[in-house]
Amino acid sequence: MNDFDDTISRLSHVAGSLRLCNDKILRAKGYRTIHFKKHQYLMVYTMDENTAYIEGIYHDLQDYENALK
């Protein structure tokens, strides 16, 4: 849980500065990712002005790109 909380805290500071996903479809939908520091997970989120909306949390080995299409 600490890693989750730390990732949420980092997201609150850097959400708008992280790049869009590499996948063309996800990029068009405005998806971005942030990786957990201590575990092999990432959050996929979108932005609306100054608010980040977490769309999902995935393990690094999961095919999150196809899950979100």
Side-chain angles (χ1 to χ4, degrees):
M1 278 311 285
N2 290 338
D3 199 11
F4 173 83
D5 292 337
D6 291 343
T7 304
I8 291 292
S9 178
R10 282 189 305 126
L11 184 62
S12 71
H13 293 88
V14 300
S17 66
L18 298 178
R19 63 183 173 88
L20 294 167
C21 290
N22 291 331
D23 182 271
K24 185 171 117 178
I25 295 171
L26 299 184
R27 187 174 48 248
K29 292 181 178 183
Y31 288 119
R32 302 168 189 253
T33 61
I34 186 168
H35 289 265
F36 286 52
K37 284 193 172 195
K38 298 177 183 174
H39 295 89
Q40 293 180 321
Y41 286 88
L42 58 94
M43 289 182 193
V44 178
Y45 68 97
T46 56
M47 294 289 303
D48 180 23
E49 297 195 21
N50 292 328
T51 304
Y53 297 96
I54 298 170
E55 302 295 331
I57 299 172
Y58 299 91
H59 189 275
D60 283 343
L61 298 177
Q62 280 183 273
D63 184 8
Y64 72 90
E65 292 173 334
N66 282 320
L68 292 168
K69 291 182 180 175

